[in-house]
Amino acid sequence: MPRSAEQKKRSRQRILKSAFKLFTEQGFENTSIDQIMHHAGLTRGAFYAHFASKSDLYQQAILNAAAGSYVVRRKPQHLDNKAWIETLLSSYLSRDHVENREAACPLAFLTTDIATREPEVRNTYTKIYKKLNNLIHQHTQTYSNCSETNLLAVTAMMIGGVAISRALNEQETVDQVLEACKRAAQTLLSET
Amino acid sequence: MPRSAEQKKRSRQRILKSAFKLFTEQGFENTSIDQIMHHAGLTRGAFYAHFASKSDLYQQAILNAAAGSYVVRRKPQHLDNKAWIETLLSSYLSRDHVENREAACPLAFLTTDIATREPEVRNTYTKIYKKLNNLIHQHTQTYSNCSETNLLAVTAMMIGGVAISRALNEQETVDQVLEACKRAAQTLLSET
DNA sequence: GTCTATAGAAAGATAGAC
DNA sequence: GTCTATCTTTCTATAGAC
């Protein structure tokens, strides 16, 4: 790859990352292109060499974030499926996640924002949502014959738990909610 | 109350209702004061006779919506607590709710939007969230000794289920999610 | 590809007439 | 209290130099 193309790819990646961070912290409409570009160490004018529009960027940023988050996380060799699912639940339903200190899940951080956007964005959301369900399904079926129903309930609880926690204004309640979701998820995943 | 005050109250109520509808459909930033006032049958200029700012309106609209929604819904005489909770779950986790055809729950419709707003708004969210938990707690304790943990997990699943459903772009999946949450909620509420 | 400069549109908030 | 008119700011998107 020629140097300039290499450079462009790096810039693009920086923009995507900055964009997702700001979108999750402030929402789509509260985040300006100017802000994103400055955060990425560039200026406004360079934006349109990478993306067609702000809305285009939104989709790309969500996809990019999903590609580096839970939905594609790989199980380490030394853990069995059950232990790994517990790890996944623990880190998903954690304060670190809620407070956006590690790879934020777009499913939980952008839910209602995405619900009000165009169909293409909602398609992207649907795709990622299915990936998360598949990921958990694949790792639970070896040790439990948990139903499809319980699986869907668990992901709704994970996403809901994190989304609510971000909106709440009391740390104590947040901790209770996260803990409750973790326990209930494990119960549901080991039932038939 | 003098006629003019009566009139003002009616206008205010119309504005609150229009605002909440548009906020849930389009999000806070995508909804303009102009739009809200036209929807309420008034013009822009009249807005500031009722509210100090758009942000002020947001809080009032959420409170007003909560006051007319699930969190204060009363059990009809002819139903026992268990039957009523089942009714509540059924209507909360329904397509009618997801598609905003009946009193939308601010907890599910505005979750991530509120997470990015000022502390006062998040305080309002927290208050309403607790009301919903109390409501369910009061009606389940007579027929089940379901734990506080399970209660929190159930409301996370209700809110999460509806929030996700609004973002998804496939009717079939939405129906599955809603049904799954309904069943799992009933299971959790009847466990210790 | 990235920069500065700017066009053009939209929206929050205010002023003053009725 | 509600209206029309307007100030002011902000933002998306484009133009043109390097």
Side-chain angles (χ1 to χ4, degrees):
Chain A
M1 197 183 309
R3 175 172 303 181
S4 67
E6 190 76 52
Q7 175 62 27
K8 178 169 184 178
K9 206 174 159 187
R10 266 202 298 272
S11 287
R12 185 188 147 92
Q13 204 57 35
R14 279 210 315 282
I15 299 171
L16 284 171
K17 213 170 165 183
S18 298
F20 184 70
K21 185 171 173 56
L22 293 168
F23 284 149
T24 55
E25 282 172 1
Q26 310 176 335
F28 180 78
E29 294 292 337
N30 272 314
T31 305
S32 69
I33 293 175
D34 195 41
Q35 221 181 347
I36 294 167
M37 294 302 276
H38 270 101
H39 192 276
L42 297 165
T43 55
R44 236 197 322 257
F47 178 79
Y48 294 91
H50 296 274
F51 302 96
S53 66
K54 191 183 170 186
S55 190
D56 176 30
L57 167 65
Y58 194 57
Q59 275 177 81
Q60 307 291 340
I62 294 168
L63 277 172
N64 191 255
S69 83
Y70 301 95
V71 291
V72 292
R73 195 172 278 190
R74 299 282 296 277
K75 180 179 80 65
Q77 290 274 347
H78 68 280
L79 288 180
D80 65 13
N81 281 343
K82 188 170 183 180
W84 188 66
I85 286 292
E86 272 167 33
T87 307
L88 186 75
L89 284 173
S90 270
S91 80
Y92 197 100
L93 291 159
S94 72
R95 268 168 71 166
D96 273 357
H97 187 199
V98 169
E99 289 165 19
N100 207 351
R101 281 193 295 269
E102 55 171 273
C105 176
L107 298 172
F109 276 64
L110 303 175
T111 328
T112 62
D113 222 12
I114 287 175
T116 64
R117 304 216 71 75
E118 52 264 57
E120 295 79 34
V121 181
R122 295 173 60 205
N123 276 334
T124 302
Y125 188 92
T126 307
K127 246 188 268 175
I128 300 173
Y129 171 72
K130 291 192 171 178
K131 272 200 186 173
L132 177 63
N133 278 301
N134 283 336
L135 179 78
I136 297 181
H137 179 61
Q138 276 164 22
H139 289 88
T140 46
Q141 66 178 355
T142 60
Y143 69 90
S144 153
N145 53 354
C146 130
S147 63
E148 174 85 5
T149 296
N150 280 8
L151 175 66
L152 291 174
V154 165
T155 51
M157 201 159 59
M158 289 168 65
I159 295 168
V162 170
I164 294 168
S165 293
R166 263 169 41 89
L168 291 175
N169 210 7
E170 281 185 18
Q171 199 50 250
E172 200 190 329
T173 310
V174 168
D175 290 337
Q176 286 174 1
V177 172
L178 294 176
E179 185 61 30
C181 289
K182 235 181 293 179
R183 283 201 217 172
Q186 266 153 10
T187 305
L188 288 171
L189 285 179
S190 53
E191 273 173 3
T192 315
Chain B
M1 199 183 310
R3 175 171 303 181
S4 68
E6 190 77 53
Q7 175 62 26
K8 179 170 184 179
K9 206 174 161 189
R10 265 201 298 272
S11 287
R12 185 187 146 92
Q13 204 56 35
R14 278 209 316 280
I15 298 171
L16 285 171
K17 212 167 168 187
S18 298
F20 185 70
K21 185 170 173 57
L22 293 169
F23 284 148
T24 55
E25 282 172 1
Q26 309 176 335
F28 180 77
E29 293 292 336
N30 272 314
T31 305
S32 69
I33 294 175
D34 195 42
Q35 219 181 346
I36 295 167
M37 294 302 278
H38 270 101
H39 191 276
L42 297 166
T43 56
R44 236 199 323 259
F47 178 79
Y48 293 91
H50 296 274
F51 303 96
S53 66
K54 191 184 171 188
S55 190
D56 175 30
L57 167 65
Y58 195 57
Q59 277 178 78
Q60 307 291 340
I62 294 168
L63 277 173
N64 190 255
S69 84
Y70 300 96
V71 291
V72 293
R73 194 172 280 190
R74 299 280 296 278
K75 181 179 80 65
Q77 291 274 347
H78 67 280
L79 289 179
D80 65 14
N81 282 342
K82 188 171 183 177
W84 187 66
I85 286 292
E86 272 167 33
T87 308
L88 186 75
L89 284 173
S90 270
S91 80
Y92 197 100
L93 290 159
S94 72
R95 269 168 71 165
D96 273 357
H97 187 198
V98 168
E99 289 165 17
N100 208 350
R101 279 194 295 270
E102 55 172 271
C105 177
L107 298 173
F109 275 64
L110 304 174
T111 329
T112 64
D113 222 13
I114 287 175
T116 64
R117 305 216 69 75
E118 52 265 56
E120 296 79 36
V121 181
R122 294 174 59 207
N123 276 335
T124 303
Y125 188 93
T126 307
K127 245 186 270 175
I128 300 172
Y129 171 71
K130 291 190 170 180
K131 271 200 189 175
L132 177 62
N133 278 302
N134 283 337
L135 179 77
I136 297 181
H137 178 60
Q138 277 165 21
H139 290 88
T140 45
Q141 66 178 355
T142 60
Y143 68 90
S144 152
N145 52 354
C146 132
S147 63
E148 174 85 4
T149 297
N150 280 9
L151 175 66
L152 291 174
V154 165
T155 50
M157 200 160 59
M158 289 168 64
I159 296 168
V162 171
I164 293 167
S165 293
R166 263 170 39 88
L168 292 175
N169 211 5
E170 279 184 22
Q171 198 52 250
E172 199 190 330
T173 310
V174 167
D175 289 336
Q176 286 173 2
V177 172
L178 294 176
E179 185 60 30
C181 289
K182 234 180 295 179
R183 283 201 217 172
Q186 266 153 10
T187 305
L188 288 172
L189 285 180
S190 52
E191 274 173 2
T192 315

